[in-house]
Amino acid sequence: MDKVIIISYGEIALKGQNKRFFENKLINNIRHAVSDLGEIEPYREHSRIYIDIEDYNENEIINRVKKVFGVVSIRVAKRFSIDMDQIGKVVLEEVKSRMAEKDVKTFKIQTKRVDKKYPKKSMEISRELGALVLLNIDGLTVDVHNPDIIINVEIRNKAFVHSKRIDGYGGLPVGTNGKALLLLSGGIDSPVAGWLVGKRGVAITAIHFHSHPFTSERAKEKVIDLARNLSIYCGKFEMYSVNILPIQKEINEKCPESEMTILSRRFMMKIAERIALDKGIDALITGESIGQVASQTIHSLKVTNAAVDIPVFRPLIAMDKVDIINLAKEIDTYETSILPYEDCCTVFSPKNPVTQPKLENILKSENLLDVDGLITEVIEDMELITIELK
Ligand code: ATP
Ligand code: MG
């Protein structure tokens, strides 16, 4: 008898001709996610992916696989040659092991007969196995509507028995939907924004802006930590680290103080766009959400957006902060995000930022600066950091 992990993927199955491409990407991403645990080779059979557990650490494999985008659910199953007596034995074992974990009063046997050559029908098999459980284990009753446990029996080329489902995040395998450049600050929002777009199969590259020496090494380490956490889901990626202090100094000198934030935000977008175009990246991602702060009023968003032509994805745009925080906790970036290190935006942050900036005024202020030259200057100085799994 073998123990196997069965991985189901939903949406990929809908992709028609591209199905193979999506499946291969998913298998590659799963293989990569478990690569340091041994010579583990996931394989495909009948629109599911399998991993033979052998001597590997089952819980760790599950923990890794559930974070691979595209994975809808994971089951740990026993697999063996089809034989009704053996199926009965394994079902009894399965019920007992679930009863050892929690209080079980009701159960249901659910049979799926994929191999229609097998002489017994699904309902018949379920009924027989149900009777066997009732006969051998005291204190249980059948409940087909709302049972405490469901024991699944599958008759395929082999028999499979499993009773637990672990949910994945769904989505699409990273690398199947182009590339986007994530503006990653040290805050709560932008890692969540990157995670959400990554979940749709988009490969992430990141860009972070700092104001060294006004922002510290520790602030930079914090962002690298956040990026590493993202890479658990999104795989290895590159992060550009850009010092925008020269730009902030110029703005500080030549433009109204109240426009500091909005002008910096437009520079960030323009710098990101320049790099994206240069690296063949199709879109930008930000963690902006309507009304969250002065720089994210609808007027400010309009002015920020007008800085670039490239598509900008803002997956958090209509989300409440509490929901963003909950998601940050779920993906394990929250605790790092709330570490209190200074951010480049706080260094020069105005006492009274404009909340209703007018594009024409902002453009007038920008005209006082050598926008292209400044962008070239900071890009020439940027640092490239490779973000790999922790
Ligand atoms: P976050 O929690 O993501 O820091 P925020 O609520 O602090 O967001 P802002 O400071 O207005 O909001 O930034 C809005 C978005 O601009 C961020 O979500 C991020 O995408 C981008 N951004 C802001 N600061 C930086 C930075 N230092 N480096 C890279 N991107 C940044
Ligand atoms: Mg921020």
Side-chain angles (χ1 to χ4, degrees), residues 75-131:
R75 292 181 173 83
V76 181
K78 296 194 176 114
R79 178 178 62 189
F80 46 93
S81 306
I82 301 168
D83 170 90
M84 218 31 212
D85 287 344
Q86 181 69 4
I87 295 175
K89 266 189 220 153
V90 175
V91 165
L92 289 176
E93 274 168 25
E94 194 79 13
V95 174
K96 283 179 192 158
S97 85
R98 297 307 305 278
M99 289 174 78
E101 288 170 16
K102 65 169 191 177
D103 190 26
V104 178
K105 296 232 158 23
T106 57
F107 76 101
K108 173 186 176 178
I109 308 280
Q110 192 160 275
T111 305
K112 192 167 168 190
R113 189 183 53 142
V114 177
D115 178 6
K116 300 289 179 203
K117 290 200 293 296
Y118 189 74
K120 284 186 184 163
K121 294 213 164 107
S122 303
M123 283 298 279
E124 210 179 331
I125 301 172
S126 295
R127 235 179 285 126
E128 268 181 40
L129 292 169

Side-chain angles (χ1 to χ4, degrees), residues 277-343:
L277 294 178
D278 187 47
K279 307 288 173 191
I281 296 172
D282 311 304
L284 307 183
I285 307 166
T286 76
E288 289 160 312
S289 171
I290 298 172
Q292 207 187 75
V293 285
S295 59
Q296 295 174 39
T297 63
I298 204 154
H299 311 277
S300 302
L301 285 167
K302 180 179 161 195
V303 173
T304 308
N305 200 53
V308 292
D309 294 321
I310 193 170
V312 182
F313 299 151
R314 299 178 172 90
L316 313 185
I317 198 72
M319 280 176 76
D320 288 351
K321 192 77 185 188
V322 279
D323 297 323
I324 300 170
I325 288 176
N326 285 338
L327 203 43
K329 287 180 179 165
E330 168 73 30
I331 67 173
D332 223 15
T333 52
Y334 182 73
E335 293 300 327
T336 309
S337 289
I338 58 173
L339 294 172
Y341 303 138
E342 67 293 330
D343 178 59

Side-chain angles (χ1 to χ4, degrees), residues 102-214:
K102 65 169 191 177
D103 190 26
V104 178
K105 296 232 158 23
T106 57
F107 76 101
K108 173 186 176 178
I109 308 280
Q110 192 160 275
T111 305
K112 192 167 168 190
R113 189 183 53 142
V114 177
D115 178 6
K116 300 289 179 203
K117 290 200 293 296
Y118 189 74
K120 284 186 184 163
K121 294 213 164 107
S122 303
M123 283 298 279
E124 210 179 331
I125 301 172
S126 295
R127 235 179 285 126
E128 268 181 40
L129 292 169
L132 185 78
V133 172
L134 291 172
L135 194 69
N136 284 277
I137 303 176
D138 290 336
L140 291 182
T141 52
V142 173
D143 181 347
V144 292
H145 301 297
N146 194 18
D148 295 333
I149 53 169
I150 298 175
I151 307 293
N152 292 285
V153 176
E154 298 176 12
I155 310 290
R156 297 174 176 261
N157 54 345
K158 296 238 174 170
F160 293 81
V161 174
H162 54 84
S163 61
K164 266 195 228 177
R165 177 194 154 108
I166 299 127
D167 289 332
Y169 290 110
L172 295 166
V174 168
T176 57
N177 258 320
K179 299 181 202 162
L181 181 57
L182 168 67
L183 283 81
L184 182 63
S185 71
I188 295 168
D189 306 319
S190 43
V192 176
W195 186 87
L196 282 169
V197 174
K199 187 152 98 72
R200 296 307 302 165
V202 177
I204 301 294
T205 302
I207 180 165
H208 174 67
F209 300 97
H210 62 86
S211 317
H212 188 78
F214 289 93

